[in-house]
């Protein structure tokens, strides 16, 4: 399954369903810089598990534990090796 | 579409209430209609908030906020059930009932402020900052506080004076007025959150919460300015009750919007799993044969009929019998 999109873009698209495109983009940018010290474009698939874990508290607050876990699990599957 | 309908429902219910009251033509009948409509609207608001709270798990931050709102509306329903219709000049209410009514209103106000505070702080809790430049955020807070003081300030002024003159029984009203001002001021973070989440499923929840707060402000504003501005207390009461119904139904719709946004979704792929939309299915089977430069292989392989419902194979046409032209 080849996917030409950048990993950060995949995460932004999944989050924007709930948070809207602006907040999704800002959230990924904020947590990529905070947890990885990288710009979203520089995030690789190997960095994704750490980025998703960094996003977990935010998503848990806004979506609740169950929905957050489901979303992160789908993203992990999609971004996994 | 469902969310737009939910957003319209407060306006539709309020318009229906006004039409029913105008059709009844009697102020005494109208009091009964207000009472019934109030109980129904507050009951729906409690149910909506409770449903939203139930969607979250134990220990989730927003569960507490929604539960506090649900408790607020349950207390308001209890107040209406215990004290009966609010006659406002048509009939005399018993003092003991008034006391109980005030206690219910005070407790509901406390829960409402606590719930609004929790929901307003969701950004800080999530590790994000409220959207927009600091000046715009400050302006939104200042604007909301000014409107809150305009609509709830006069009542606070009168009640605070009475308390300072030694009438401790009025303290409950003064606390309720302060609660109104605090809740109305928290409309600012609700609005900013709604703007930030525009385009996302959660945005509707915050739009409707902000709309609910604005409608509650209009209730207080109509109580203060309505009789003078409209020139008739009866007309002002119609508007006040219509705004009250709209406020309660906005909270109901906000709860339903949260429920809908956080529903478990199924389907292939992250996007369809979270939106619940069907994946884009091809309208015809993928072509066989060698890949062409115009249609890359990866893209064609990622689509296909995976997760889609294949259209029924076309039925073979019946062969024309040799004698069918007769």
């Amino acid at each position: 399954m080849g996917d030409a999109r950048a990993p950060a873009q995949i995460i932004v698209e999944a989050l924007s369903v709930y948070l809207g495109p602006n907040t999704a983009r800002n959230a990924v940018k904020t947590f990529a810089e905070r947890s990885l010290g990288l710009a979203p474009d520089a995030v690789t698939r190997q960095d994704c598990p750490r980025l998703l874990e960094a996003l977990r508290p935010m998503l848990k607050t806004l979506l609740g534990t169950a929905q957050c876990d489901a979303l992160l699990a789908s993203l992990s599957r999609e971004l996994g090796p | 579409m469902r969310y737009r309908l939910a957003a319209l429902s407060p306006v539709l219910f309020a318009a229906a209430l006004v039409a029913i009251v105008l059709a009844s033509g009697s102020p005494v009948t109208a009091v009964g209609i207000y009472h019934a409509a109030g109980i129904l609207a507050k009951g729906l608001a409690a149910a909506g908030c409770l449903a939203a709270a139930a969607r979250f798990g134990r220990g989730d931050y927003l569960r507490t906020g929604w539960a506090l709102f649900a408790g607020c509306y349950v207390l308001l329903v209890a107040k209406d059930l215990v004290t009966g219709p609010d006659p406002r000049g048509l009939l005399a209410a018993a003092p003991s009932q008034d006391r109980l009514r005030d206690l219910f209103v005070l407790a509901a106000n406390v829960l409402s402020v606590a719930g609004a505070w929790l929901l307003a702080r969701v950004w800080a809790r999530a590790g994000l900052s409220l959207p927009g430049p600091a000046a715009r955020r400050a302006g939104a807070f200042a604007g909301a506080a000014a409107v809150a003081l305009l609509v709830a300030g006069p009542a606070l002024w009168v009640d605070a004076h009475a308390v300072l003159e030694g009438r401790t029984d009025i303290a409950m009203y003064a606390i309720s007025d302060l609660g109104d001002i605090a809740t109305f001021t928290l409309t600012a973070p609700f609005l900013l959150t709604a703007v930030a989440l525009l385009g996302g499923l959660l945005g509707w929840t915050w739009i409707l919460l902000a709309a609910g707060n604005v409608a509650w402000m209009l209730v207080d504003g109509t109580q203060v300015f309505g009789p003078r501005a409209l020139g008739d207390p009866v007309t002002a009461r119609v508007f006040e009750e219509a705004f009250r119904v709209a406020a309660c139904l906005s909270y109901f719709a906000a709860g339903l919007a949260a429920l809908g946004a956080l529903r478990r979704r199924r389907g292939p792929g992250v996007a369809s799993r979270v939106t619940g939309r069907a994946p884009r299915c091809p309208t015809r089977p993928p072509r066989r044969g060698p890949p062409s430069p115009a249609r890359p292989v990866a893209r064609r392989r990622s689509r296909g009929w995976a997760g889609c419902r294949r259209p029924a194979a076309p039925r073979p046409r019946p062969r024309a019998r040799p004698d069918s032209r007769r």
Side-chain angles (χ1 to χ4, degrees), chain A residues 1-2 14 16-23 26-27 30-31 34 57-58 60-67 70-71 74-75 77-78, chain B residues 56 60-62 122-123 125-128 196-203 261-265 269-271 273-275 298 301-302:
Chain A
M1 292 265 183
S16 65
V17 172
Y18 292 105
L19 311 179
N22 292 328
T23 300
N26 287 339
T30 304
F31 287 99
R34 219 182 269 174
M58 179 208 67
K60 199 175 157 188
T61 302
L62 291 169
L63 307 179
T65 309
Q67 194 74 13
L71 179 62
S74 330
L75 276 169
R77 273 197 300 276
E78 190 156 342
Chain B
F56 289 93
D60 284 346
Y61 181 75
L62 287 179
V122 73
W123 284 98
R125 176 82 181 189
L128 298 165
L197 296 175
L198 272 182
L201 290 174
L202 288 178
L262 301 176
R263 200 174 48 208
R264 268 287 175 89
R265 292 155 208 285
V270 170
R273 199 158 21 246
V274 293
T275 55
R301 279 189 187 156
S302 69

